[in-house]
Amino acid sequence: MDSYLFYTSFMTIFEALKISRKKLSDAGIESASLDASLILSHLTHLSKVQLITHDSDELSDDILNKLNSLIDKRITGYPIAYILGYKEFWGLKLKVTEDTLIPRPDTEIIVQCALDCKVKGSILDMGTGSGAIILALKSEYRDNVEAFACDFSEKALEVAKENSKALDLEVTFIHSDWFSNLVDKKFSLIVSNPPYIEENDPHLTKTSLPYEPISALTSGADGLNDIRIICRNALAHLKTDAPLMIEHGYNQGPSVRDIFVSYGYKNVETVIDFAGNDRVTVGYKR
């Protein structure tokens, strides 16, 4: 192995970044350069720009040891968001842990769909995880809506509550297995990014998915069990003409539309994501 792949004492930021990027790249990490910068920025509390302007500064042994440990962890495929402890979504900095899914850019599609409806009243995010969707909506709607969110995982709810407090966005969080603890509450909008991956999908062993909570990823043999539950039970909690919006897999649009129609929703349509794939299906209670 080349000598520059080892960290040594009296190493500068420039040298440490060079080694880190090389190690990540050799391990097949596609975002090697960015991840190395993010990790070192996290450890030094320097911005990515400051890493450049201070590239001749020497790093302490403590930081170098931590850098080495985190780079090795990233090489295993461990998600950069979990290493940093946060993920940006809709311009919001959200805490994430292994108890929550990592928010994806495509999930911003459901946020935009919900904003396009220009609803007022109460809105609900089902299976909120880190709180990404409901906090994004509350940040835009502000006092025009009363925001609610539920999740079966108490640990995920704790993370969502922390994000709500840190962002000063008021949301009522409810521990609930889908609608079980919502009593007779009715909403002007219900959104959800539920588990929708097939149980034996090969993607579960790739990228960051092996490190994310499996209960928030898979939903039966066809991945649609939870979507069926939500579509069926949302009818009792939606106001007349109120929309239900559900994120799903790129190849599930036709099946999800069929589920919506089978439960009597009207004006059912699917919205595509940034890559042109089916991503969010919308239907309105009759």
Side-chain angles (χ1 to χ4, degrees), residues 18-262:
K18 182 179 179 181
I19 292 173
S20 299
R21 289 165 178 161
K22 175 66 174 174
K23 290 179 71 173
L24 291 172
S25 179
D26 286 350
I29 303 297
E30 295 182 358
S31 53
S33 182
L34 175 61
D35 289 358
S37 294
L38 288 172
I39 292 171
L40 191 53
S41 178
H42 171 68
L43 292 173
T44 60
H45 305 292
L46 296 174
S47 68
K48 286 188 285 185
V49 172
Q50 288 174 319
L51 290 179
I52 297 172
T53 58
H54 291 260
D55 66 353
S56 61
D57 289 4
E58 290 185 354
L59 296 170
S60 68
D61 287 345
D62 180 56
I63 287 181
L64 286 171
N65 288 333
K66 290 177 179 177
L67 176 62
N68 185 55
S69 176
L70 292 181
I71 292 296
D72 285 347
K73 197 169 189 177
R74 181 70 184 109
I75 285 172
T76 69
Y78 193 77
I80 187 70
Y82 289 161
I83 290 175
L84 302 178
Y86 74 89
K87 177 71 174 180
E88 289 192 5
F89 178 84
W90 200 263
L92 306 174
K93 185 175 181 179
L94 300 173
K95 176 181 177 178
V96 292
T97 72
E98 291 184 2
D99 297 306
T100 66
L101 285 184
I102 300 168
R104 267 69 171 182
D106 281 335
T107 298
E108 293 190 351
I109 299 297
I110 199 170
V111 175
Q112 188 59 59
C113 288
L115 293 175
D116 290 343
C117 287
K118 296 180 171 60
V119 300
K120 292 185 179 181
S122 299
I123 62 176
L124 171 67
D125 175 22
M126 306 214 69
T128 194
S130 65
I133 295 174
I134 196 64
L135 292 171
L137 291 177
K138 185 63 175 178
S139 74
E140 297 287 350
Y141 274 123
R142 294 289 172 175
D143 294 335
N144 290 321
V145 300
E146 187 177 7
F148 294 82
C150 67
D151 205 290
F152 178 71
S153 168
E154 293 189 67
K155 290 183 177 180
L157 282 176
E158 287 303 314
V159 174
K161 289 175 183 177
E162 287 185 49
N163 284 326
S164 175
K165 183 177 181 180
L167 295 167
D168 195 24
L169 296 170
E170 185 176 353
V171 176
T172 299
F173 293 99
I174 303 167
H175 181 231
S176 182
D177 184 2
W178 297 129
F179 294 95
S180 62
N181 292 331
L182 297 182
V183 198
D184 57 356
K185 182 77 176 172
K186 289 186 180 289
F187 301 91
S188 300
L189 165 70
I190 296 177
V191 296
S192 183
N193 178 18
Y196 56 74
I197 299 177
E198 298 174 13
E199 287 179 345
N200 296 319
D201 192 304
H203 291 93
L204 292 170
T205 62
K206 300 177 181 178
T207 62
S208 66
L209 294 184
Y211 300 94
E212 299 185 67
I214 191 68
S215 62
L217 293 170
T218 62
S219 183
D222 63 358
L224 300 175
N225 284 359
D226 287 304
I227 291 178
R228 293 186 183 95
I229 292 171
I230 294 169
C231 285
R232 180 176 67 248
N233 293 292
L235 293 168
H237 296 276
L238 283 168
K239 297 177 181 178
T240 301
D241 294 324
L244 169 67
M245 302 180 179
I246 297 180
E247 179 175 338
H248 50 74
Y250 73 96
N251 60 344
Q252 295 174 325
S255 296
V256 175
R257 288 194 295 275
D258 287 345
I259 294 171
F260 270 73
V261 171
S262 72

